[in-house]
Amino acid sequence: MKKYDVVIIGGGVIGCSIARYLSRYNVSGIVLEKHNDVGDETTCANSAIVHSGYDPLPGTKKAHFNVLGNKMMPKLCEELDVPFINNGSLTVSFSDEEDQTLLELLERAKLNNVEARIVEHDELLKLEPNLNKDCHKAILCPTCGIVSPFNLCVNLMENAMDNGFELSLNTEVLDIKKNNNYEVITNNEIYQAQVVINCCGVNSDKIASILEKVDYHVIPRKGEYYVFDHFDNNYVKHTLFMCPTKVGKGVLISPTTSLNYIIGPTNEEAEIDDKSTSASMLNELRNTAKKLIPNLPYQNNIRQFSGMRANSSIGDFVIEESKNNPGFYNLACIMSPGLASSPAIGEYVADEVAKKLGLSVNKNFNPRIRKHLRFTKMAKEEYNELIKQNPMYGHFICRCEQVTEGEIVDCIHRNCGARTVKGIKKRVRPGFGRCQGTFCESEVIKVLARELGVSEMDINYSDLGTEILKYDVKSN
């Protein structure tokens, strides 16, 4: 049995954020993640938007944590070397009825203390020339941004580990017992702790129900997306939203921090493990998206994907300590704007736990990670000097995304380092480009095997059991 002050169940962006902010205190803590990497569920399959906070109903936890998280995100991303762009959002109307909705949203923005204004038709088309000319007006929210959710989650966990937190991957929670402390029983170990924090996304209500009857439940909803290649840096500048409905924020079109474009999501109730895409839903997405931009260049489409969202039966986040089981914290139903809210949620929960346990401040806490050396961000002279010091930074593995061997090796040997092809892809982007890994994946496998000291046959794409290479042709 391993003993800690705090056990966090779930290594998505919420769990990793709590770990990072808890590491500001003198605490023994561990994150338990059932997958082979952090951030492999909702965190790696969403719209990557740092919402401004104009949309959630005033007085809700969504509104509170969204607005705070939006304000925290630029500094956090600077500290953790995470790609972030403050591009602003436009929520566009196409009818008199939707014009009225915009006015209601503008009032909501004022109540949530979010900067926003109405943009009329002519100015709107100057801001976004490719927008449908039938548009009426829009709400402009300048504080909206876009972030790399993969890097945010990984770097939060890396920083937590740099400051003393632990991580256990491939660790699935099977049961939780409460005696004087909590015993978290997993597939490979028992963990004892004074505090347990449940951040299990679409499974959070199931984990909570191990100890108590819950008055909410998670409604898994699947969203499908298109991803376009980075063909034109000015095609869309802002994140473009349609007027929201009771079901959700609807379809958006947005640039990403890697200067791709994302279109989506659809919105359908689905089984938790359903990550499929379908022709019918993608066609529905295309028909809906053309309301915003009629002639989207689908010849630039390089990928479709889907992600699962933990929609709430009560319409709000669940962020609370159990009344019946003190020291057991539930963070459930963290749907959109969960990504934008994650820094504020992490700090709030960490501070609450620190008060409960009487934790002292970690005077050696370092809020920054070691910066990544990115070829695309360097001046020519600086890059040439780097190659002299380490020739691996002159060897390109992925030409689509311009990723060098040096960058891949570095992300393997960090805290919370990559161990899989998908892990490398999420951190430094080989396989995200136009060829989708056709040319670089075999090279990534070679580098992983060499650096981890294992056979290429043992390299997984993602979870254990997803080995890519099955036979050694030369030896057969």
Side-chain angles (χ1 to χ4, degrees):
M1 182 183 295
K2 293 186 176 181
K3 298 182 180 181
Y4 295 89
D5 296 324
V6 180
V7 167
I8 298 173
I9 308 172
V13 72
I14 300 297
C16 291
S17 180
I18 295 170
R20 190 264 182 168
Y21 284 101
L22 264 175
S23 71
R24 299 185 306 176
Y25 297 95
N26 291 307
V27 63
S28 62
I30 189 168
V31 172
L32 309 182
E33 170 53 51
K34 72 175 182 178
H35 290 295
N36 202 15
D37 198 2
V38 297
D40 262 2
E41 287 286 349
T42 302
T43 297
C44 79
N46 58 73
S47 304
I49 309 300
V50 182
H51 294 280
S52 59
Y54 79 91
D55 179 55
L57 287 171
T60 60
K61 291 175 182 173
K62 278 187 185 181
H64 175 75
F65 287 107
N66 184 175
V67 174
L68 283 179
N70 174 277
K71 292 177 180 177
M72 294 170 68
M73 193 68 76
K75 181 182 178 184
L76 177 66
C77 289
E78 188 274 324
E79 289 176 341
L80 299 184
D81 196 24
V82 174
F84 170 81
I85 299 173
N86 178 211
N87 66 318
S89 70
L90 290 164
T91 304
V92 185
S93 67
F94 291 92
S95 67
D96 293 341
E97 182 180 357
E98 289 184 347
D99 291 349
Q100 183 59 40
T101 300
L102 289 189
L103 293 176
E104 294 169 4
L105 291 172
L106 185 64
E107 183 59 30
R108 192 180 295 180
K110 292 178 182 176
L111 292 172
N112 288 342
N113 198 27
V114 174
E115 182 182 353
R117 68 179 179 89
I118 296 291
V119 174
E120 300 293 341
H121 178 271
D122 290 349
E123 182 186 0
L124 181 54
L125 290 178
K126 286 181 181 178
L127 291 173
E128 293 290 349
N130 291 311
L131 199 61
N132 188 340
K133 303 302 184 286
D134 292 335
C135 62
H136 280 205
K137 54 185 70 176
I139 289 181
L140 171 64
C141 290
T143 59
C144 181
I146 49 180
V147 71
S148 168
F150 326 113
N151 294 116
L152 179 61
C153 186
V154 167
N155 293 6
L156 282 164
M157 193 67 236
E158 179 180 329
N159 189 232
M161 294 173 75
D162 288 347
N163 287 290
F165 230 81
E166 296 181 29
L167 170 66
S168 181
L169 299 172
N170 303 302
T171 302
E172 183 173 5
V173 172
L174 305 176
D175 199 3
I176 304 173
K177 303 289 187 183
K178 183 186 177 185
N179 296 308
N180 293 330
N181 291 315
Y182 291 95
E183 292 181 4
V184 181
I185 301 163
T186 75
N187 56 322
N188 56 30
E189 183 63 82
I190 297 176
Y191 299 88
Q192 187 182 87
Q194 298 177 65
V195 167
V196 173
I197 305 173
N198 164 28
C199 317
C200 293
V202 290
N203 290 301
S204 53
D205 55 347
K206 293 180 177 61
I207 293 295
S209 65
I210 293 174
L211 283 176
E212 57 194 27
K213 185 176 180 180
V214 295
D215 57 2
Y216 59 85
H217 63 274
V218 172
I219 306 169
R221 298 196 72 87
K222 183 171 69 172
E224 299 182 28
Y225 294 85
Y226 280 101
V227 178
F228 287 3
D229 198 11
H230 26 66
F231 61 94
D232 178 353
N233 293 353
N234 294 308
Y235 187 74
V236 172
K237 297 177 183 178
H238 300 78
T239 296
L240 304 179
F241 293 112
M242 295 178 172
C243 279
T245 67
K246 291 180 180 179
V247 178
K249 295 182 173 67
V251 170
L252 62 84
I253 300 172
S254 179
T256 69
T257 55
S258 54
L259 303 181
N260 295 84
Y261 293 97
I262 191 168
I263 297 97
T266 58
N267 192 343
E268 58 178 319
E269 201 164 324
E271 296 298 321
I272 286 176
D273 295 326
D274 182 3
K275 307 293 175 58
S276 65
T277 58
S278 67
S280 60
M281 292 306 295
L282 289 170
N283 284 333
E284 181 180 316
L285 175 55
R286 290 173 73 135
N287 288 331
T288 305
K290 68 184 181 183
K291 184 177 180 181
L292 280 170
I293 297 181
N295 299 306
L296 283 165
Y298 285 94
Q299 68 272 18
N300 292 297
N301 168 51
I302 57 173
R303 177 174 170 79
Q304 306 92 42
F305 72 94
S306 72
M308 197 62 65
R309 290 162 287 181
N311 279 37
S312 170
S313 64
I314 59 173
D316 200 3
F317 297 161
V318 174
I319 302 173
E320 60 189 20
E321 182 181 9
S322 169
K323 295 181 178 64
N324 298 321
N325 295 287
F328 185 70
Y329 291 78
N330 284 307
L331 284 87
C333 304
I334 311 290
M335 54 188 288
S336 180
L339 180 65
S341 304
S342 60
I345 293 173
E347 184 175 56
Y348 168 77
V349 174
D351 289 348
E352 288 295 303
V353 170
K355 290 176 191 174
K356 185 174 190 66
L357 296 179
L359 301 176
S360 60
V361 172
N362 177 6
K363 295 180 180 179
N364 296 317
F365 173 75
N366 181 1
R368 298 178 179 276
I369 66 166
R370 177 169 53 84
K371 279 192 171 292
H372 294 80
L373 299 175
R374 298 186 178 98
F375 155 73
T376 54
K377 304 294 183 183
M378 290 184 174
K380 183 178 179 180
E381 296 77 13
E382 184 185 8
Y383 179 56
N384 286 336
E385 186 59 35
L386 176 61
I387 294 174
K388 290 178 184 178
Q389 297 172 17
N390 187 343
M392 285 193 292
Y393 281 93
H395 177 211
F396 282 84
I397 298 291
C398 174
R399 287 162 176 79
C400 295
E401 295 296 309
Q402 298 183 304
V403 182
T404 67
E405 183 180 2
E407 292 167 87
I408 293 172
V409 170
D410 178 59
C411 84
I412 292 171
H413 293 293
R414 288 171 173 263
N415 272 330
C416 196
R419 296 292 181 270
T420 65
V421 171
K422 184 178 178 181
I424 297 289
K425 180 180 178 180
K426 289 192 304 181
R427 287 161 176 80
V428 289
R429 297 193 57 76
F432 263 119
R434 188 174 302 173
C435 84
Q436 289 290 290
T438 302
F439 295 100
C440 63
E441 187 170 283
S442 60
E443 295 301 310
V444 169
I445 291 171
K446 291 176 184 177
V447 175
L448 272 166
R450 183 191 74 212
E451 296 300 316
L452 297 177
V454 300
S455 165
E456 293 176 22
M457 309 286 284
D458 295 328
I459 297 300
N460 288 281
Y461 176 76
S462 56
D463 279 340
L464 297 179
T466 60
E467 297 90 350
I468 296 171
L469 304 179
K470 297 297 181 184
Y471 305 103
D472 185 346
V473 176
K474 289 184 179 180
S475 64
N476 285 300

